Amino acid sequence: MSLNGKIALVTGGGRDIGRSISQRLAADGAHVVVNYHSDQASAEATLAAITATGGSATLHRADVTKADEAAGLAAAAGERIDILVNCAGGMVARKTLAEMDEAFFDQVMTLNLKSAFLVTKAALPRIPKGGAIVNLASLAGRDGGGPGASIYATAKGALMTFTRSLAKELGPQGIRVNALCPGLIGTSFHDIFSRPEGRAATAGNTPLRREGHPDEVAAAVAFLASDDAAFITGANLDINGGLGFS
């Protein structure tokens, strides 16, 4: 799955799944623009890991929930963006409906859905025929998520629908749009938001009896971004070890 000569932009690319995606795309030959917002140290560690193995990458700080900064990020990538990966997102906090207020709703929806809209809109004039967009949705978008994750799950479900809609809209331009729906992947997300006992139980109920690794998500992104997936668009690909289907 050679990506030689491709330019890739990865939002939230400095840590966890985003870091693995950035490293994998660079290893496959792409020059990767690694976007980060506040965690500069992690982003610099990602850049160092890429360059240490002979890969090519640059860093660009931007808050992708703001239109002007999303536009600046797209411009920083250059005249051409062959691969766009919308990975920025997060749960923010677990809250029941009674605990939420309007500001929290707006924050979670903006972080997970509006960010993808803003970056995709800004990047689109630079995406050529044959380009690929990969969005990072979630199993929560299919099953409603765990306790206190209703708005996060709603945002990810909307991102899945956005993916299908864009696939129809951009297909005639030769641009493919797909999404990944990770289940339990071993990242700081679950270190923060999942209790150890619940996390272990979920892994035990997965047919493969384990958590996923960020590199496994990255491998799927690399496939969807490559010419090997040239006739795949509008897909929301589950990567969850069979969770929810056993």
Side-chain angles (χ1 to χ4, degrees):
M1 296 189 295
S2 174
L3 300 177
N4 289 338
K6 302 287 188 180
I7 307 297
L9 170 58
V10 183
T11 70
R15 62 184 180 87
D16 291 334
I17 290 175
R19 170 180 286 177
S20 287
I21 292 170
S22 297
Q23 290 178 306
R24 175 58 188 263
L25 296 181
D28 285 353
H31 171 77
V32 183
V33 179
V34 180
N35 159 250
Y36 71 98
H37 178 210
S38 57
D39 193 348
Q40 182 176 347
S42 290
E44 290 178 344
T46 300
L47 177 62
I50 290 172
T51 56
T53 54
S56 175
T58 54
L59 300 181
H60 188 86
R61 196 215 71 82
D63 180 350
V64 293
T65 68
K66 297 180 179 178
D68 59 342
E69 296 194 31
L73 173 62
E79 295 181 358
R80 193 180 84 248
I81 300 172
D82 301 291
I83 301 162
L84 170 62
V85 183
N86 287 306
C87 188
M91 188 179 293
V92 181
R94 290 191 184 273
K95 292 189 178 186
T96 65
L97 185 61
E99 294 168 333
M100 295 176 202
D101 56 17
E102 185 178 356
F104 178 80
F105 175 93
D106 289 344
Q107 181 184 11
V108 176
M109 292 296 289
T110 296
L111 178 59
N112 292 283
L113 179 61
K114 187 178 180 180
S115 63
F117 159 72
L118 291 175
V119 175
T120 302
K121 184 175 176 62
L124 184 58
R126 294 174 167 82
I127 301 177
K129 182 177 181 180
I133 300 170
V134 183
N135 298 319
L136 268 292
S138 172
L139 173 64
R142 292 201 188 278
D143 68 8
S150 62
I151 302 307
Y152 172 77
T154 298
K156 292 300 188 181
L159 185 59
M160 292 163 67
T161 299
F162 186 56
T163 297
R164 289 189 288 265
S165 297
L166 283 186
K168 294 179 179 180
E169 180 177 331
L170 301 182
Q173 301 176 41
I175 299 171
R176 297 181 297 105
V177 189
N178 293 290
L180 288 177
C181 304
L184 178 57
I185 308 297
T187 66
S188 62
F189 177 98
H190 289 289
D191 295 339
I192 296 169
F193 295 112
S194 300
R195 295 180 179 178
E197 60 273 20
R199 188 169 170 174
T202 298
N205 288 329
T206 300
L208 294 182
R209 300 295 191 269
R210 66 175 177 86
E211 296 183 356
H213 190 278
D215 288 351
E216 294 171 312
V217 180
V221 171
F223 167 68
L224 290 175
S226 76
D227 290 342
D228 287 352
F231 200 55
I232 300 176
T233 194
N236 287 295
L237 178 64
D238 296 301
I239 179 164
N240 57 31
L243 189 65
F245 302 102
S246 59

